[in-house]
C-alpha cells in the first residue's frame, strides 16, 4: 500500500514537472535561450524515462531520474545566480545564448504590466537614426520572474527526488520479500518429483 501511494505521488510529480518545463521551454524558445533549451530538452526525456520506470516497476530508470534530478537542481541554482548577478555572473552577458546572439529573456520586454516602446534617436552628423527599445511599468522585473521559475523547478525536483528514493526502497523490499518465499527460485527447496515410476513386471517360470 505504501509503495502504491508513493508511486502515485511520484507519477503526479513527474506530470507536474513535464507541464512546468514545457511552459518554460516555450518562453526559452521565444527568447532564443539556447543553453536552457538544450537542458530543458534533456530534462523532458529523463522525466519521461522516470515516469515510465515508475509505472513499469523499473528501478534502474528511476535511478537515472534521481541522478539527473541532482544535476537539474544544480542547473537551476546556476540560473538563479545568473539572473541575480551572484558569483561574478551577470544577466547582461550572452552566456545562455552561447554568445551567438544578443537576445535576453523573453520576459525582459514582455513581463506582466510592461509597456514596450521603440524610440528613435538621430545620430549626430548623419541622416541615419538609431532606434532602441524602452520598457517601463513592469509589475515585476524579468530576472525575478526567471528566479521564480527556477525556484519552482527546484521545489518540485526535490520532492521528486525524495519520492523516487522512497519508491526504489519500497520496490527493492518487495523484491527481496518475494525472493525470500521462493517467488523467483526456479528450483524450490522442497521439490517433489511428480513423475510416475514405471514398474516392469515379468512373469516367473518355475
Amino acid at each position: 500500500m505504501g509503495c502504491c501511494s508513493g508511486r502515485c505521488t511520484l507519477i503526479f510529480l513527474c506530470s507536474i514537472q513535464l507541464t512546468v518545463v514545457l511552459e518554460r521551454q516555450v518562453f526559452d524558445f521565444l527568447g532564443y535561450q539556447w543553453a536552457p533549451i538544450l537542458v530543458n530538452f534533456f530534462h523532458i526525456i529523463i522525466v519521461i524515462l522516470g515516469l515510465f520506470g515508475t509505472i513499469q516497476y523499473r528501478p534502474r530508470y528511476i535511478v537515472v531520474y534521481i541522478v539527473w534530478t541532482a544535476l537539474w537542481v544544480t542547473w537551476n541554482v546556476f540560473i538563479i545566480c545568473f539572473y541575480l548577478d551572484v558569483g561574478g555572473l551577470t544577466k547582461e552577458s550572452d552566456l545562455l545564448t552561447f554568445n551567438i546572439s544578443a537576445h535576453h529573456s523573453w520576459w525582459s520586454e514582455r513581463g506582466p504590466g510592461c509597456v514596450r516602446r521603440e524610440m528613435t534617436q538621430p545620430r549626430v552628423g548623419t541622416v541615419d537614426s538609431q532606434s532602441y527599445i524602452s520598457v517601463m511599468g513592469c509589475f515585476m522585473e524579468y530576472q525575478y520572474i526567471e528566479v521564480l521559475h527556477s525556484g519552482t523547478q527546484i521545489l518540485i525536483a526535490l520532492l521528486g527526488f525524495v519520492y523516487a528514493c522512497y519508491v526504489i526502497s519500497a520496490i527493492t523490499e518487495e523484491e527481496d520479500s518475494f525472493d525470500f518465499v521462493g517467488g523467483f527460485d526456479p528450483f524450490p527447496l522442497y521439490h517433489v518429483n511428480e513423475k510416475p515410476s514405471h514398474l516392469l513386471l515379468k512373469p516367473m517360470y518355475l
Side-chain angles (χ1 to χ4, degrees), residues 36-58:
I37 287 171
L38 290 176
V39 177
N40 292 341
F41 177 74
F42 282 113
H43 182 62
I44 292 171
I45 293 177
I46 299 300
V47 171
I48 293 176
L49 190 66
L51 187 62
F52 175 79
T54 305
I55 296 174
Q56 296 294 325
Y57 288 91
R58 302 292 179 86

Side-chain angles (χ1 to χ4, degrees), residues 167-200:
V167 169
I168 286 184
S169 175
I171 292 176
T172 303
E173 289 180 0
E174 287 185 0
E175 290 181 349
D176 291 342
S177 62
F178 190 59
D179 190 29
F180 178 76
V181 298
F184 294 109
D185 189 2
F187 301 102
L189 181 62
Y190 299 101
H191 181 74
V192 179
N193 187 4
E194 296 179 355
K195 292 183 178 181
S197 59
H198 298 281
L199 300 177
L200 182 60

